C-alpha cells in the first residue's frame, strides 16, 4: 500500500480527526449555502424597535444593535473566515515551500542569504506590521487580507521545507536519480515534492485555525474586511458595546469561531498523526 | 556453587513467564512460557537473536514491561522464594535496583542527558537507603572509582555526552551496582562498544561479580561472550526457550538445530561478524509465530510433524533439554 | 560565550532595525494624512494642516525623512506625538511598564499552568483524565483571546461582581489606600486581563508540554530510572520533565509576539493603560512617531524573548552550548 493510502487509513480510523473533517465540510457547506438558508445579513428591518432582540422564533440567534439577524450574519461571516483561513494558509505554504526549496537546492550563498532573511522575518512582531498596514489600508478586500497574512506567515514553513530538502538531497534515491541523469526539475518533481508534501500539508492545516483567529482579531479591531460585511470579528465588536444588556450578540460569532478553529485543529492534528506516525503520541 | 541441588530456593526462579503485547495488528506473544533459574553467585547466559524476547524477559523480571505489553496471568517470577509478580508497587520498587539491577544495552540512551552522572548514581542509592545527599554523593564517587573511572570526583559532575562510550558503560555499571544487588540482569552490556572496550568491560564485570558475590544473567546474541564466563546457557528463539544446558555441554553437543546455527556463526578471533550468516531466513515477527515448531521454516532438518506439532522441552541428558523432535527421532537428522 | 552574545546582539539589532524600517515605510508611504480620525484633524483648516506637515517635515522626500528619523533615533530621540503633543518617550515610559506587568504576569501564569496540565496528562497518558484535558486544552487553544476577555468580563465582572472590569486602579481610591492596599487593588484589576491572555497560551504550552513529555517518557533513560527503583513521581518530575523542559522554554521565549498581539486586543477591553492601547490609538490616529516607536519597542521585546529562550534552554539542557 502506498504511504498516502496508509495515511488516509490512519486518518479515517482517528475519530477526533474525522469529526474535525466532517465539521469543516459542514462549515464550508453552510458558508456556501448561507444566502439560500437565511435572510439578507445586511437588512435592518427596524433599527429602533427590533434592535438587540433576544433569540426568538423569528430570529433564532436574536438581532444585533442594527436589528440585523445574527444567525444570517454568523453564517455569512463564515465566508470571510474560511476564505481567509484556507486561502492564506495555502498561499503561505506555497510561498514557504518555494523559498525553502530554493534555499535547499541553491548554492550556499543564496541559502545563507535567504535563511538569514527568514531569521530576521521570524523575529518581527507580525501583528504590529499587520495593524499598521490595515490601518493605512482603509477598505481592504478579503483578497488583500489573504495576501498580507500569507506574506507575513510563510517563514516557518520555509525552514521546515529547507531542512527536508537538505536531508533528502544526500539520500540514496536522490543520488541514484542524479546518477541516472534525471534533470534537476525532474528530481524536484518526482523525488523531493512527494517527500516534503507531508510536513507541508501538516503545517498548512495546523495554520488555518491560527489564521482564522488572527483575521478575527484584526476585524474585531475594525481592520481588514470592514463593516457592514459581516465577519465574526466585527460582529463581536458590535456585541462588545451591548455586552451586558445583550450578550447573545457577541456570543454567537464567538462560539462559531471556537467551533471552526476546533474543527480545523482536530483535522490538522489528525493529519499530522496520519502523515507522521512517529510524531503521534 | 556446584554440587547437589541446594536446599534453599534458587535466587531467581522464573516459571511459565508469558508477556503479551496487544496492538492494532492483534496480540503479540513476545515471551511465551519461559522457565529459567539462576542460583546465587552464578552466571547464566540467555542467548538469542534480537526480537526473540530476551530483553522483554529481563524487563518482565522487574515488572518494567510497559503498556501495551503486559505479563500474562499464571506467570511467576520468584526471587529467593518471594513472588515478585504479587508485590505491591512500593515493594517491587524496593527490589528494583536494590536486589535486582539492570544494565542496558545502549549506555548513551540509558543515561539521562540532562542530569549529572554522579547525581544519577546517587539517586539510585537514595531510592533504597536512608542516607544524606552528601553520603550518597560520596558513595557515587566511590562507585565510579570502583568501575575504573579515573578522577571520579570530577567526573561525577559530568554529563553523559561528555564521556566516551566505554566510560558511559562503566557509569551504567556503577549505577546498577550502587546498592550491591544480588542479581544483575545485563542486557547486551557490550554490544554498542568497540571490541577492545568490550573485553575491558566484561573483565570489569567479572571482577566486580567476584567481589560482590552477585549472580549475573548475561543476555546476549553472541555465544562467544557466553562461552568463557557462564556455567549454564539458555537459548531463546521466537519467545521460547529452545535449549538449556551446561555451557560445556551446549558447545560440545548442541541438540537444537538453531543452537547449531548460532555456534556456526560465532565470530572467530581474527574477524568480527555480527550477523548470524549460518542460519537462512529471519526471526518471524511476534504477531505471526509459525505453527508447530517455530524454527521449522528455517530448519534444515524439518519434516511434516515439525510444521504441525510444537515440541516440548525434551530431555537430552540430565540438565540438558531441547525443544526439538530430533531428540526423540534422531534418525530424522539430515547430514 | 562572548562570541555568542555578540552574535545575538548583532542579530537583535538587525531585526529591530528591520522592524523600524518596515514600519516607517508602511506608515509614511501610505496614502492618507497624519492625525486622520482625530477631532483636531476634522476641525483644522487646510492651511493649518499644511503648516503642521512642514513643521514635522512630512513634506520632505521619504528617504530624507527616514534619514532624519534614524539620526534622531541614534541619539535616543523618538520624536513627538502629533496627537498627544507630548514626547513619544514619555508616552511609552508610562505604558511599557504596565504592559510588562500584564504580559509578564500572563506569561508566567500560562507557563506554570501549561506545565502543570502537561505533567498531569503525561503522568496518566491515554487515561480518561488525559483525554478530557486534551479536549479542554484543544478548545481553549481555539478560543479568540479578545472573545475570552469579553466572556470573562461578562461573567466575573458584570454578573458575579467578583472583580473590577476596567482600568488598572479603582478611581478615587488611590489616595486612601496604603501601598499594600494599592498593590492588592492593581492585582485585582490585573486578574481578568491577565487570565484572558494566559488561559489561551496555557493551553498551547500544555499541548506542547504533554507531547514532549510523552515522547521523553519513551526514552531508555526513563526505563533505566524505573529500573533503579525510583518512584513514578521522581521519574516524571526529575527525569522526564528536565528533558522536556527545553522545548517548552523555547516556546515561551517565542511567545512574546503572541502576548504583544494579545495586549492590543485585551488592553482595550479592560481599559488597561499599556502599550497595546497606545499602539491601537496611534494607528487609528495616524500618529506616525508613536506607531514607529511602538514597533521599535515590540521589536526589542521580541528580540529579548528570543534571547531569554536561548539562555533558558542552555540552562535546562547541558548539551546545548551557547557558543556553537
Amino acid at each position: 500500500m502506498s504511504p498516502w493510502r496508509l495515511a488516509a487509513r490512519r486518518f479515517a480510523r482517528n475519530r477526533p480527526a474525522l469529526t474535525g473533517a466532517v465539521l469543516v465540510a459542514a462549515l464550508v457547506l453552510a458558508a456556501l449555502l448561507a444566502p439560500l438558508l437565511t435572510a439578507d445579513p445586511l437588512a435592518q428591518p427596524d433599527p429602533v424597535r427590533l434592535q438587540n432582540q433576544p433569540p426568538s422564533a423569528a430570529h433564532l440567534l436574536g438581532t444585533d444593535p442594527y436589528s440585523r439577524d445574527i444567525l444570517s450574519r454568523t453564517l455569512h461571516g463564515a465566508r470571510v473566515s474560511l476564505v481567509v483561513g484556507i486561502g492564506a494558509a495555502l498561499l503561505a505554504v506555497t510561498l514557504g515551500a518555494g523559498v525553502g526549496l530554493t534555499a535547499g537546492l541553491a548554492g550556499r550563498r543564496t541559502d545563507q542569504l535567504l535563511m538569514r532573511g527568514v531569521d530576521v522575518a521570524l523575529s518581527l512582531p507580525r501583528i504590529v506590521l499587520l495593524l499598521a498596514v490595515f490601518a493605512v489600508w482603509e477598505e481592504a478586500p478579503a483578497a488583500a487580507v489573504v495576501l498580507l497574512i500569507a506574506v507575513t506567515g510563510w517563514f516557518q514553513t520555509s525552514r521546515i521545507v529547507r531542512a527536508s530538502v537538505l536531508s533528502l538531497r544526500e539520500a540514496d534515491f536522490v543520488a541514484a536519480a542524479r546518477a541516472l541523469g534525471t534533470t534537476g526539475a525532474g528530481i524536484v518533481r518526482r523525488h523531493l515534492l512527494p517527500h516534503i508534501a507531508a510536513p507541508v500539508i501538516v503545517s498548512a492545516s495546523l495554520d488555518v485555525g491560527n489564521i482564522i483567529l488572527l483575521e478575527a482579531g484584526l476585524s474585531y479591531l475594525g481592520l481588514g474586511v470592514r463593516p457592514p460585511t459581516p465577519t465574526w470579528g466585527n460582529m463581536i465588536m458590535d456585541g462588545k458595546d451591548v455586552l451586558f444588556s445583550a450578550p447573545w450578540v457577541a456570543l454567537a460569532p464567538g462560539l462559531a469561531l471556537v467551533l471552526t478553529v476546533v474543527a480545523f485543529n482536530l483535522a490538522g492534528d489528525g493529519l499530522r498523526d496520519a502523515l507522521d506516525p512517529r510524531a503521534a503520541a | 556453587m556446584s554440587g547437589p541441588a541446594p536446599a534453599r530456593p534458587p535466587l531467581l526462579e522464573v516459571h511459565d513467564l508469558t508477556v503479551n503485547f496487544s496492538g492494532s495488528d492483534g496480540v503479540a506473544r513476545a515471551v511465551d512460557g519461559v522457565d529459567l533459574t539462576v542460583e546465587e553467585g552464578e552466571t547464566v547466559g540467555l542467548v538469542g537473536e534480537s526480537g526473540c524476547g530476551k530483553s522483554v524477559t529481563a524487563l518482565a523480571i522487574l515488572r518494567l514491561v510497559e503498556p501495551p505489553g503486559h505479563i500474562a496471568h499464571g506467570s511467576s517470577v520468584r526471587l529467593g522464594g518471594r513472588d515478585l509478580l504479587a508485590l505491591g508497587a512500593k515493594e517491587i520498587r524496593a527490589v528494583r535496583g536494590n536486589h535486582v539491577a539492570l544494565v542496558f544495552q545502549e549506555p548513551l540512551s540509558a543515561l539521562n542527558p540532562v542530569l549529572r552522572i554522579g547525581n544519577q548514581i546517587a539517586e539510585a542509592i537514595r531510592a533504597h537507603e536512608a542516607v544524606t545527599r552528601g553520603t550518597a554523593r560520596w558513595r557515587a564517587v566511590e562507585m565510579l572509582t570502583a568501575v575504573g573511572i579515573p578522577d571520579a570526583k570530577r567526573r561525577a559532575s559530568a554529563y553523559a555526552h561528555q564521556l566516551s562510550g566505554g566510560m558511559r558503560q562503566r557509569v551504567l555499571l556503577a549505577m546498577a551496582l550502587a546498592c550491591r544487588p544480588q542479581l544483575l540482569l545485563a542486557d547486551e552490556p557490550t554490544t554498542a562498544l568497540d571490541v577492545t572496550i568490550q573485553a575491558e568491560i566484561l573483565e570489569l564485570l567479572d571482577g566486580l561479580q567476584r567481589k560482590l558475590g552477585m549472580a549475573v544473567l548475561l543476555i546476549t546474541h553472541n555465544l562467544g561472550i557466553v562461552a568463557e564466563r557462564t556455567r549454564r546457557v539458555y537459548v531463546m528463539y521466537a519467545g521460547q526457550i529452545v535449549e538449556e544446558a551446561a555451557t560445556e555441554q551446549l558447545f560440545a553437543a548442541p541438540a537444537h538445530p538453531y543452537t547449531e546455527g548460532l555456534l556456526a556463526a560465532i565470530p572467530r578471533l581474527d574477524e568480527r561478524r555480527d550477523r548470524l550468516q549460518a542460519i537462512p531466513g529471519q526471526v518471524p515477527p511476534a504477531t505471526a509465530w509459525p505453527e508447530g515448531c517455530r524454527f521449522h521454516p528455517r530448519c534444515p532438518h524439518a519434516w511434516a510433524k515439525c510444521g504441525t506439532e510444537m515440541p516440548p522441552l525434551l530431555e537430552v541428558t540430565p540438565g540438558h533439554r531441547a525443544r526439538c523432535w530430533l531428540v526423540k527421532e534422531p534418525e530424522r537428522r539430515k547430514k | 560565550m562572548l562570541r555568542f552574545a555578540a552574535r545575538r546582539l548583532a542579530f537583535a539589532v538587525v531585526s529591530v532595525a528591520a522592524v523600524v524600517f518596515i514600519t516607517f515605510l508602511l506608515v509614511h508611504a501610505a496614502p492618507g494624512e497624519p492625525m486622520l480620525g482625530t477631532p483636531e484633524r476634522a476641525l483644522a483648516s487646510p492651511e493649518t494642516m499644511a503648516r503642521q506637515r512642514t513643521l514635522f517635515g512630512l513634506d520632505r522626500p521619504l528617504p530624507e525623512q527616514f534619514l532624519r528619523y534614524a539620526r534622531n533615533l541614534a541619539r535616543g530621540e523618538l520624536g513627538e506625538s502629533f496627537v498627544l503633543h507630548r514626547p513619544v518617550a514619555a508616552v511609552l515610559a508610562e505604558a511599557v511598564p504596565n504592559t510588562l506587568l500584564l504580559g509578564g504576569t500572563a506569561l508566567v501564569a500560562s507557563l506554570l499552568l501549561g506545565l502543570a496540565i502537561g505533567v498531569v496528562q503525561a503522568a496518566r497518558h491515554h487515561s480518561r483524565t488525559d483525554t478530557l484535558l486534551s479536549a479542554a486544552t484543544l478548545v481553549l487553544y481555539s478560543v479568540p483571546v479578545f472573545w475570552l476577555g469579553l466572556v470573562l468580563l461578562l461573567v466575573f465582572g458584570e454578573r458575579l461582581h467578583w472583580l473590577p472590569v476596567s482600568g488598572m486602579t479603582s478611581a478615587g481610591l488611590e489616595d486612601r489606600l496604603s501601598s499594600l492596599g494599592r498593590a492588592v487593588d492593581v492585582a485585582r484589576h490585573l486578574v481578568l486581563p491577565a487570565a484572558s491572555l494566559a488561559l489561551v497560551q496555557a493551553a498551547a504550552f500544555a499541548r506542547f508540554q504533554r507531547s514532549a513529555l510523552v515522547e521523553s517518557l519513551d526514552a531508555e533513560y526513563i526505563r533505566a530510572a524505573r529500573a533503579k527503583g525510583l518512584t513514578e513521581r521522581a521519574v516524571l518530575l526529575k527525569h522526564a520533565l528536565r528533558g522536556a523542559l527545553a522545548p517548552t522554554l523555547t516556546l515561551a521565549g517565542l511567545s512574546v509576539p503572541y502576548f504583544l498581539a494579545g495586549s492590543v486586543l485585551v488592553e482595550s477591553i479592560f481599559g488597561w493603560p499599556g502599550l497595546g492601547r497606545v499602539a491601537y490609538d496611534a494607528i487609528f490616529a495616524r500618529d506616525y512617531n508613536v506607531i514607529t516607536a511602538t514597533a521599535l519597542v515590540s521589536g526589542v521585546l521580541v528580540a529579548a524573548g528570543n534571547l531569554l529562550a536561548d539562555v533558558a534552554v542552555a540552562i535546562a539542557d547541558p548539551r546545548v552550548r551557547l557558543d556553537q
Side-chain angles (χ1 to χ4, degrees):
Chain A
M1 212 178 326
S2 80
W4 293 104
R5 289 274 300 277
L6 271 174
R9 271 240 311 252
R10 274 195 293 269
F11 189 88
R13 276 203 216 135
N14 181 344
R15 195 121 49 91
L18 217 53
T19 314
V22 169
L23 270 175
V24 167
L27 282 161
V28 170
L29 208 65
L32 283 174
L33 299 179
L36 301 175
L37 295 172
T38 57
D40 179 2
L42 303 184
Q44 304 183 13
D46 190 338
V48 180
R49 269 178 301 168
L50 280 182
Q51 66 166 329
N52 302 327
Q53 293 290 306
S56 65
H59 301 281
L60 287 176
L61 295 178
T63 62
D64 76 355
Y66 305 94
S67 81
R68 297 174 298 198
D69 181 55
I70 293 177
L71 175 62
S72 165
R73 290 181 67 73
T74 305
L75 284 184
H76 282 82
R79 299 179 143 201
V80 173
S81 283
L82 292 175
V83 165
V84 172
I86 297 172
L90 286 178
L91 188 57
V93 148
T94 313
L95 285 171
V99 174
L101 270 172
T102 312
L105 293 172
R108 213 180 122 76
R109 285 186 51 183
T110 318
D111 181 25
Q112 289 265 324
L113 195 71
L114 283 173
M115 284 302 120
R116 278 292 127 79
V118 166
D119 282 346
V120 172
L122 269 171
S123 70
L124 302 182
R126 183 186 192 183
I127 191 81
V128 174
L129 295 181
L130 287 174
L131 281 177
V133 179
F134 284 119
V136 160
W137 201 329
E138 303 278 332
E139 285 286 341
V145 181
V146 168
L147 187 73
L148 279 163
I149 289 180
V151 164
T152 54
W154 53 267
F155 314 122
Q156 201 63 52
T157 311
S158 73
R159 273 193 178 172
I160 298 171
V161 169
R162 171 181 171 271
S164 314
V165 171
L166 286 185
S167 70
L168 286 170
R169 212 161 68 160
E170 309 308 325
D172 291 344
F173 63 92
V174 173
R178 199 173 284 148
L180 287 172
T182 315
T183 59
I187 289 177
V188 169
R189 202 178 59 243
R190 294 270 309 283
H191 297 280
L192 291 183
L193 282 184
H195 276 87
I196 63 167
V200 161
I201 291 173
V202 170
S203 132
S205 64
L206 286 173
D207 219 18
V208 175
N210 287 330
I211 293 176
I212 290 178
L213 289 176
L214 179 61
E215 188 282 328
L218 288 170
S219 60
Y220 168 79
L221 293 174
L223 304 171
V225 178
R226 301 260 168 133
T229 308
T231 67
W232 289 337
N234 69 32
M235 290 175 69
I236 294 174
M237 174 177 67
D238 290 338
K240 182 192 164 194
D241 299 330
V242 292
L243 184 67
F244 297 158
S245 56
W248 55 87
V249 180
L251 212 60
L255 288 175
L257 264 171
V258 175
L259 183 73
T260 308
V261 178
V262 165
F264 276 104
N265 284 337
L266 278 176
D269 282 353
L271 275 178
R272 182 196 54 206
D273 295 350
L275 289 170
D276 185 6
R278 278 164 308 152
Chain B
M1 307 297 143
S2 58
R8 284 194 295 171
L11 176 63
L12 176 74
E13 190 171 23
V14 174
H15 180 62
D16 200 17
L17 178 68
T18 298
V19 181
N20 293 316
F21 283 80
S22 35
S24 52
D25 314 328
V27 173
R29 182 158 288 192
V31 176
D32 189 359
V34 163
D35 289 349
L36 62 83
T37 53
V38 179
E39 303 288 347
E40 261 174 51
E42 185 187 35
T43 304
V44 174
L46 180 61
V47 180
E49 288 167 274
S50 60
C52 73
K54 56 191 199 299
S55 295
V56 179
T57 303
L59 291 173
I61 289 170
L62 279 176
R63 287 189 17 212
L64 287 168
V65 178
E66 284 154 38
H70 58 273
I71 299 170
H73 216 69
S75 309
S76 112
V77 176
R78 290 180 177 280
L79 185 75
R82 191 159 65 136
D83 187 359
L84 297 186
L85 300 185
L87 295 182
K90 205 172 164 187
E91 296 162 309
I92 186 72
R93 267 206 312 274
V95 173
R96 291 175 187 158
N98 193 17
H99 304 305
V100 182
L102 196 52
V103 174
F104 288 84
Q105 182 171 156
E106 188 62 65
L108 184 57
S109 50
L111 287 168
N112 192 323
V114 299
L115 296 177
R116 296 174 195 280
I117 56 167
N119 182 349
Q120 294 187 62
I121 298 169
E123 73 175 353
I125 298 168
R126 278 167 61 82
H128 301 291
E129 294 171 39
V131 295
T132 62
R133 224 168 255 277
T135 311
R137 196 181 152 68
W138 176 77
R139 276 188 45 192
V141 173
E142 211 179 38
M143 274 320 293
L144 287 173
T145 312
V147 295
I149 289 185
D151 200 3
K153 199 164 178 190
R154 198 170 54 82
R155 287 293 170 83
S157 6
Y159 294 96
H161 70 276
Q162 297 165 331
L163 304 176
S164 69
M167 283 292 168
R168 286 182 205 134
Q169 195 60 57
R170 285 168 194 267
V171 171
L172 269 199
L173 267 179
M175 208 161 90
L177 303 184
C179 293
R180 299 174 174 264
Q182 299 158 277
L183 172 64
L184 182 71
L185 309 172
D187 186 3
E188 304 268 14
T190 59
T191 306
L193 303 175
D194 288 341
V195 190
T196 46
I197 300 171
Q198 269 187 24
E200 272 177 40
I201 295 286
L202 287 169
E203 214 165 287
L204 172 70
L205 182 58
D206 287 346
L208 288 166
Q209 181 184 9
R210 271 195 299 278
K211 216 161 93 186
L212 301 173
M214 66 181 174
V216 175
L217 181 64
L218 187 59
I219 302 170
T220 175
H221 67 277
N222 187 347
L223 265 175
I225 289 178
V226 162
E228 301 149 25
R229 39 182 64 80
T230 63
R231 275 168 29 90
R232 284 187 307 119
V233 178
Y234 293 88
V235 178
M236 215 172 156
Y237 183 79
Q240 295 176 320
I241 300 290
V242 293
E243 183 160 8
E244 61 166 293
T247 309
E248 281 168 32
Q249 181 77 21
L250 188 93
F251 277 79
H256 198 288
Y258 179 60
T259 313
E260 288 169 19
L262 285 182
L263 285 171
I266 291 185
R268 291 201 302 272
L269 277 177
D270 48 35
E271 59 178 332
R272 180 165 178 255
R273 276 188 306 185
D274 287 15
R275 235 176 305 187
L276 307 173
Q277 289 160 333
I279 309 174
Q282 302 172 338
V283 183
T287 42
W289 296 142
E291 284 279 302
C293 169
R294 289 181 183 164
F295 187 62
H296 86 264
R298 297 171 76 186
C299 181
H301 311 292
W303 68 95
K305 183 183 186 180
C306 302
T308 54
E309 277 179 72
M310 185 192 291
L313 272 172
L314 299 165
E315 184 157 285
V316 185
T317 57
H320 184 182
R321 300 194 296 167
R323 195 182 285 280
C324 181
W325 292 123
L326 282 175
V327 175
K328 274 195 167 167
E329 303 176 56
E331 68 282 359
R332 295 272 194 172
R333 179 177 286 272
K334 293 172 188 146
K335 295 185 300 295
Chain C
M1 190 63 216
L2 258 174
R3 267 192 53 179
F4 165 80
R7 263 186 33 200
R8 286 308 311 228
L9 203 65
F11 180 76
V13 168
V14 169
S15 58
V16 171
V19 176
V20 171
F21 179 68
I22 295 172
T23 318
F24 187 91
L25 210 66
L26 283 174
V27 174
H28 284 76
E33 297 279 316
M35 289 183 284
L36 201 81
T38 59
E40 260 175 307
R41 170 75 179 81
L43 296 173
S45 66
E47 293 77 41
T48 322
M49 282 314 293
R51 239 192 347 268
Q52 285 270 13
R53 292 179 66 86
T54 322
L55 183 66
F56 288 111
L58 297 174
D59 52 349
R60 313 299 304 168
L62 202 54
E64 193 187 318
Q65 285 188 49
F66 183 73
L67 278 180
R68 208 174 40 144
Y69 186 83
R71 238 190 351 256
N72 286 338
L73 195 58
R75 282 201 299 259
E77 285 168 27
L78 295 169
E80 185 159 326
S81 161
F82 303 159
V83 179
L84 304 169
H85 305 294
R86 297 173 56 199
V88 174
V91 175
L92 292 182
E94 278 172 23
V96 170
N98 296 343
T99 288
L100 288 180
L101 176 63
L102 174 61
T105 308
L107 175 60
V108 171
S110 61
L111 194 56
L112 292 179
L113 184 62
L115 284 179
I117 295 174
V119 167
V120 167
Q121 286 191 268
R124 341 186 38 179
H125 64 282
H126 298 311
S127 73
R128 185 173 291 244
T129 317
D130 177 29
T131 313
L132 275 175
L133 284 172
S134 280
T137 52
L138 177 75
V139 171
L140 208 49
Y141 177 70
S142 307
V143 171
V145 59
F146 54 95
W147 186 73
L148 180 64
L150 292 176
V151 171
L152 293 180
L153 177 68
L154 177 66
V155 175
F156 295 100
E158 206 264 336
R159 294 288 144 96
L160 296 172
H161 292 292
W162 285 1
L163 290 161
V165 296
S166 181
M168 203 171 146
T169 50
S170 304
L173 278 180
E174 290 95 334
D175 305 329
R176 283 186 283 148
L177 290 171
S178 63
S179 56
L180 179 67
R182 268 204 294 274
V184 171
D185 187 44
V186 170
R188 278 170 51 81
H189 282 80
L190 183 62
V191 173
L192 288 180
S196 313
L197 285 176
L199 282 173
V200 178
Q201 190 60 23
F205 287 142
R207 277 163 60 88
F208 200 71
Q209 186 62 43
R210 177 195 177 271
S211 68
L213 264 178
V214 168
E215 192 176 313
S216 81
L217 279 175
D218 259 352
E220 186 89 333
Y221 61 77
I222 295 298
R223 200 174 265 177
R226 291 203 178 105
K228 278 190 269 188
L230 300 189
T231 59
E232 267 311 293
R233 195 190 159 81
V235 169
L236 189 73
L237 294 183
K238 188 171 174 188
H239 283 266
L241 188 58
R242 273 296 294 271
L245 208 53
T248 307
L249 289 176
T250 309
L251 189 67
L254 298 179
S255 70
V256 171
Y258 159 81
F259 285 103
L260 285 172
S263 72
V264 175
L265 296 158
V266 167
E267 285 180 5
S268 82
I269 294 175
F270 292 97
W272 189 264
L275 189 64
R277 274 270 300 276
V278 169
Y280 180 79
D281 293 343
I283 281 169
F284 284 96
R286 290 288 180 79
D287 200 344
Y288 291 178
N289 284 343
V290 177
I291 297 175
T292 316
T294 327
L296 170 71
V297 174
S298 310
V300 170
L301 289 177
V302 171
N306 291 351
L307 196 64
L308 260 169
D310 283 343
V311 172
V313 166
I315 293 169
D317 189 339
R319 285 167 299 178
V320 176
R321 291 189 43 206
L322 290 179
D323 42 7
Q324 278 171 0

